[in-house]
Amino acid sequence: MTTPGVDDAVRERRPVAERRLHPVTPLRRAWAPVAVLIGWAVHDPDQAQRHLTRLTTTTLLLALAVLVPAAALYGFLTWWFTHFAVTDSELRIRTGLVFRRTAHIRLERIQAIDITQPLLARVAGVSKLKLDVIGTDKKDELAFLGADEARALRAELLARAAGFAPETAHEVGEAPSRQLLRVPPGVLAVSLVLTGATWGTLAAAVVVPTVLWLATESVWTVLASAVPLLGAAGASSVGRFVAEYDWTVGESPDGLRLDHGLLDRAHETVPPGRVQTVRIVEPLLWRRRGWVRVELDVAGSSNSVLLPVAPREIAESVVARVLPGATVPPRASLSRPPRRAGRCMPVWWRGYGLSVTDAVFAARTGLFRRSLSLVPHAKVQSVRLAQGPWERLWGVADVHLDTGANKTVTARLRDAEEAAELLRGQAERSRTGRKDARPDRWMA
């Protein structure tokens, strides 16, 4: 006869086999001392230049002869003193050369497990495992593991998080995936060209430095303004193209799989039941082509994009898989605020809209860049009504919905009586929605 909890306690006391990272890891960590020197040189270039001019060739060679072995030894020791182990209830990561640190990650608190492969890691055949955990802002990671080992460990952790017995979790393997959508590179490139943010940043990168040159005739002032603006323009165009290249969406029992990246390849999973908000974004220049972008708010996870660009019909079918039982309300069903709302927000009030269905609370914002936010009723944490003095004068109010991802969706400038009814009705819909919601677990 056994007592409840005794078996779990016995399993926790069993010795756990610790494992090390891939042997190529020391090469990555050996760069840390070199990075410190580079950072010092960048921070104080004048002093660094003075020190370099004093060094003779012999001294420089001796310094390199000491620095390179020291960096290699540092990389080896940090790898040697890093271990990880999977117990029946948690993942333990033990690190530290001088100061020891042990992270205990409860398996049931894991929100997402992503596999990333930077360019050099792909060449070496290794991968980085990143874990999103409830209550932490920074991702814990295991870098690097062999590519096959990373996939096997990810599958085992997901099986444990789903409730499989520890004895059989490693036998579950990676869940099969069926491809739903692949974004062609040409379509992605055209969508970035038709994005207003790209052209706006490029225009600013040309106009602002020109004005500063005419005003100051200082080269350093021009460079100080042009470089950040050109960098922002590159990040919003070339950077996004590189990151979202070959975007593929697949469906599996543990959620939607996202694979993307030109140089650094990422393999992410949208956790089932943990999506708090879905946003369908429709830039002005995309509308004639019928394209939209789909973004996510996931509790405890940094995954924020579901589809970089796709036809609206296909995007809505993918959204239906992320939010089972929910459909995207048609444009005609979105009710605008009353005309007197224009007194509070001239012109822009026409971009606001609202629709409440049995499954979601849908609020639209934006006149040129439309954004339709869908919040499942079960994911609403709190509902608030806000009304400023000017809004009270014209009889309108805002209704705010707070979600578990620390985000807020707002229905702007609704009629005051309608807003009060929304407040009461949404509280009841959220309560009943949580009772009927699917289990918030992997592979549920």
Side-chain angles (χ1 to χ4, degrees), residues 22-177:
H22 194 276
V24 79
T25 305
L27 297 177
R28 171 218 185 201
R29 298 188 173 183
W31 282 97
V34 180
V36 172
L37 290 177
I38 295 174
W40 167 75
V42 173
H43 178 71
D44 195 350
D46 295 334
Q47 186 176 359
Q49 185 177 4
R50 285 197 299 269
H51 282 292
L52 285 175
T53 54
R54 295 174 188 170
L55 294 177
T56 64
T57 304
T58 303
T59 307
L60 184 59
L61 291 175
L62 287 175
L64 290 176
V66 172
L67 178 61
V68 172
L73 180 62
Y74 171 81
F76 173 79
L77 290 177
T78 54
W79 168 76
W80 182 262
F81 285 99
T82 299
H83 303 81
F84 69 95
V86 182
T87 71
D88 296 333
S89 60
E90 64 185 16
L91 170 66
R92 296 176 187 170
I93 305 175
R94 186 157 56 91
T95 59
L97 180 58
V98 178
F99 300 99
R100 305 294 287 165
R101 172 183 177 269
T102 303
H104 298 262
I105 303 172
R106 302 289 298 181
L107 298 180
E108 69 271 11
R109 297 183 67 82
I110 292 177
Q111 294 280 3
I113 304 177
D114 302 331
I115 296 177
T116 60
Q117 285 186 297
L119 181 59
L120 294 179
R122 292 169 65 184
V123 174
V126 295
S127 301
K128 182 188 299 185
L129 209 65
K130 291 186 174 182
L131 299 98
D132 276 323
V133 183
I134 298 176
T136 60
D137 296 328
K138 183 181 178 181
K139 284 187 175 184
D140 286 284
E141 65 178 30
L142 292 172
F144 289 95
L145 300 170
D148 294 336
E149 182 184 8
R151 289 186 177 275
L153 179 59
R154 177 186 179 277
E156 180 181 355
L157 293 176
L158 292 183
R160 296 279 189 94
F164 283 86
E167 295 79 10
T168 59
H170 66 281
E171 301 174 357
V172 174
E174 188 173 25
S177 177

Side-chain angles (χ1 to χ4, degrees), residues 176-183 246-252 257 259:
S177 177
R178 179 176 64 88
Q179 181 175 313
L180 296 178
L181 171 69
R182 179 180 174 272
V183 179
D246 193 29
W247 192 283
T248 305
V249 180
E251 187 177 34
S252 71
R257 301 264 182 88
D259 299 295

Side-chain angles (χ1 to χ4, degrees), residues 213-228:
W213 170 255
L214 295 175
T216 64
E217 295 187 358
S218 170
V219 175
W220 296 110
T221 302
V222 172
L223 289 176
S225 62
V227 171

